[in-house]
Amino acid sequence: MTAIERSRTVAVVGAGTMGQGIAQVALLAGHRVLIYDIDASLAADGVGIVQDRVERMAAKGRLDRAGAEETVGRIAAAGALADLAGAALVIEAVVENVGIKQALFAALEEVVEPDALLATNTSSLSVTELAAGLAHPGRFLGLHFFNPAPLLPLVEVVSGSATDPAAAERAYRTVLGWGKTPVRCADTPGFIVNRIARPFYAEAFAVYEEQGADPATIDAVLRESGGFKMGPFALTDLIGQDVNEAVTRSVWESFFRSPKFTPSLAQRRLVQSGRLGRKSGHGWYPYGPDAVAAQPHTAGPEEAPDKVTVVGDLGPAADLAHLLEEAGIAVTATEHGGPYIQLPGEGQLVLADGKTSVEFADVVYFDLALDYRGATRIALSASADTSERTLSEAIGLFQKLGKQVSVIGDVPGMIVARTVAMLIDLTADAVARGVASAEDIDTAMRLGVNYPLGPSEWHDRLGQDWAYDLLHHLDERCPGGRYAPSLALFKLGYAAGDEEGTE
């Protein structure tokens, strides 16, 4: 199945920001483009905006002048739906309302040629439901672009229950030819990105609700230890708390209120109070000329121990042994027991595993890092029973490695570790259910929300049973189903015959 020919017309219905962006992408790919909007003035304005963007590209040397003149001549406003009759692809980008979209596509079906593809850019509605009532639902699919469409490479190509595989393949190849990175996805709530990304927000909000840490500290740990570009509190302030909470609630409702997707009460209260983020001047953080930026909790200086013993295999934190030696700390290793770092005061430093410090005599937990050498901040957690010496030695140890240290509450799984484990679990479950391939999910999460690694890449790096074990421990301490490892994750970690931890 080949891509739609460049000689064929592409039509966009809806002249808002997203419609303009999609029209620009198709135009620069070489198609004739028509923009239609129920408000004719908006369609005309949309054409003008896209033409101005092309002119600016030429002024900056990104297009030659002759090419720009030819390009702007290939886009026009359509005065009526009937004007879209010759389009080979019609992409809808109108209001997120099922009834409005269904009526639109029913009308389009009466206009376009039998071989034309009909696509919705919906981010939250069911592609299958939108196709209900169409005479030819096989040619209907989702093409979910991300905003701003001209800049962001990812496009989710969503097949509804009735979508013809040939139609999905033709759309996939067309988008690929436009210079985008398409990923294939079944029609599931949230598609790929909005489904898999929920724990990134939810776990941060849960740690906050559990009084584990404040927003600035959680954001800093996820950025500086986890490698994420933005923390979830700052990101949802940018997106808009109402928008983010609505997506979370939609996914939760669509999954019949599964505890895996339970919305945050703290975020609900934020929305109810009108603190919607940057657009309202206050969200999790204050904004405006007089706003004082919130600072993460950072421990004061402590003296590092001059020697430690590494007991057992530290797994994802194995690099710490080398870093400690490079920092001038004497390291003794023993293969039996563990895994933990034995401190001189007899306390233990343990990688987050879903358990709590209060369960043990004298334990400080440390959080997962994308790269312990490159991380600039490490989170530690301890209970009221942890000795002051053990906590100070743990703080000093990481400060000796050049890290800032944030001490958080005794929350199981800490911050980065529980977030990554949940991302891995939702991905394993989605792959097992045929939502998308592991490779496409990794691509979607890296390109769609700028994650440092895709969830399956995290899984490969951390080990086959790491996420399962952590979630199993979390589920024991926080029962209710939210952290219960999926059957898919169980199979992924234990199909090779590893019996440990399955009881």
Side-chain angles (χ1 to χ4, degrees):
M1 180 60 65
T2 59
I4 293 171
E5 299 81 0
R6 301 297 172 91
S7 59
R8 301 288 302 276
T9 298
V10 172
V12 178
V13 179
T17 301
M18 183 58 76
Q20 295 166 17
I22 295 171
Q24 180 179 333
V25 171
L27 183 68
L28 292 174
H31 294 277
R32 177 173 178 260
V33 174
L34 293 174
I35 296 181
Y36 172 79
D37 196 283
I38 193 169
D39 184 335
S41 65
L42 292 181
D45 290 345
V47 169
I49 289 170
V50 174
Q51 289 175 328
D52 287 346
R53 290 175 184 170
V54 173
E55 294 287 357
R56 288 199 299 271
M57 292 174 68
K60 294 178 181 179
R62 295 168 60 190
L63 282 176
D64 63 74
R65 178 56 58 183
E69 291 178 358
E70 187 274 335
T71 299
V72 298
R74 283 189 279 103
I75 185 169
L81 280 182
D83 296 339
L84 310 184
L89 169 64
V90 183
I91 305 174
E92 161 273 317
V94 302
V95 63
E96 290 284 84
N97 179 283
V98 172
I100 291 174
K101 291 180 188 287
Q102 286 179 329
L104 169 64
F105 284 111
L108 283 169
E109 196 171 41
E110 298 296 323
V111 170
V112 299
E113 298 293 331
D115 68 338
L117 297 181
L118 299 178
T120 174
N121 183 59
T122 185
S123 61
S124 60
L125 302 177
S126 166
V127 171
T128 300
E129 183 179 8
L130 293 180
L134 292 180
H136 305 287
R139 62 176 173 177
F140 184 83
L141 71 153
L143 287 178
H144 180 214
F145 289 76
F146 288 74
N147 193 30
L151 298 180
L152 295 185
L154 184 69
V155 179
E156 293 176 324
V157 181
V158 186
S159 292
S161 297
T163 302
D164 188 325
E169 185 64 20
R170 186 165 173 79
Y172 180 95
R173 292 190 178 277
T174 298
V175 171
L176 184 65
W178 291 356
K180 295 299 182 180
T181 304
V183 290
R184 297 177 175 89
C185 177
D187 182 24
T188 184
F191 306 143
I192 296 176
V193 171
N194 280 332
R195 172 178 177 157
I196 302 300
R198 294 350 292 166
F200 179 70
Y201 311 109
E203 294 314 309
F205 298 162
V207 171
Y208 169 74
E209 290 174 337
E210 294 163 18
Q211 301 293 296
D214 60 275
T217 299
I218 296 169
D219 274 359
V221 170
L222 282 162
R223 288 194 319 269
E224 300 172 37
S225 184
F228 294 91
K229 298 301 181 184
M230 288 185 74
F233 294 91
L235 181 55
T236 53
D237 269 358
L238 179 63
I239 295 168
Q241 297 303 330
D242 52 341
V243 175
N244 180 262
E245 202 252 359
V247 173
T248 298
R249 189 166 295 275
S250 174
V251 172
W252 177 59
E253 295 281 3
S254 296
F255 278 109
F256 308 103
R257 300 194 172 190
S258 165
K260 294 281 186 180
F261 301 101
T262 301
S264 162
L265 180 59
Q267 188 182 36
R268 175 94 289 252
R269 292 290 181 260
L270 209 62
V271 173
Q272 290 173 332
S273 71
R275 293 189 167 190
L276 306 182
R278 288 181 178 271
K279 62 186 177 183
S280 70
H282 204 302
W284 296 110
Y285 303 115
Y287 299 93
D290 298 325
V292 178
Q295 298 300 315
H297 173 270
T298 302
E302 298 285 356
E303 186 174 349
D306 56 7
K307 62 181 180 179
V308 298
T309 300
V310 174
V311 181
D313 182 0
L314 296 181
D319 283 349
L320 283 178
H322 305 294
L323 296 177
L324 293 170
E325 289 179 330
E326 291 173 9
I329 297 173
V331 177
T332 303
T334 176
E335 297 180 358
H336 304 293
Y340 55 83
I341 297 174
Q342 184 72 56
L343 300 170
E346 300 304 317
Q348 298 174 355
L349 189 56
V350 183
L351 176 62
D353 59 4
K355 300 177 183 178
T356 57
S357 181
V358 74
E359 302 171 44
F360 305 98
D362 200 11
V363 164
V364 171
Y365 276 104
F366 66 97
D367 209 350
L368 180 68
L370 173 68
D371 170 19
Y372 282 100
R373 183 177 294 276
T376 57
R377 182 179 299 272
I378 295 293
L380 303 179
S381 69
S383 74
D385 294 334
T386 304
S387 71
E388 291 184 9
R389 176 176 177 178
T390 294
L391 182 57
S392 66
E393 287 179 343
I395 293 170
L397 194 71
F398 281 105
Q399 289 175 339
K400 183 73 172 180
L401 300 183
K403 319 297 183 187
Q404 291 185 304
V405 176
S406 292
V407 180
I408 69 170
D410 188 18
V411 291
M414 301 191 69
I415 299 172
V416 180
R418 70 196 278 177
T419 299
V420 169
M422 287 292 283
L423 291 170
I424 291 171
D425 183 57
L426 289 193
T427 295
D429 184 63
V431 171
R433 295 178 185 275
V435 172
S437 69
E439 294 76 17
D440 274 357
I441 292 176
D442 279 355
T443 297
M445 303 315 290
R446 282 188 281 101
L447 298 183
V449 278
N450 213 11
Y451 285 3
L453 292 175
S456 292
E457 293 171 323
W458 272 109
H459 177 266
D460 291 343
R461 174 183 287 202
L462 296 171
Q464 66 176 14
D465 55 358
W466 179 86
Y468 178 87
D469 285 348
L470 187 143
L471 291 178
H472 177 67
H473 295 150
L474 254 172
D475 183 49
E476 290 180 332
R477 287 149 185 82
C478 306
R482 180 187 182 114
Y483 301 108
S486 66
L487 176 61
L489 187 62
F490 174 82
K491 289 180 176 179
L492 203 60
Y494 290 90
D498 184 354
E499 299 291 335
E500 184 179 356
T502 61
E503 297 180 359

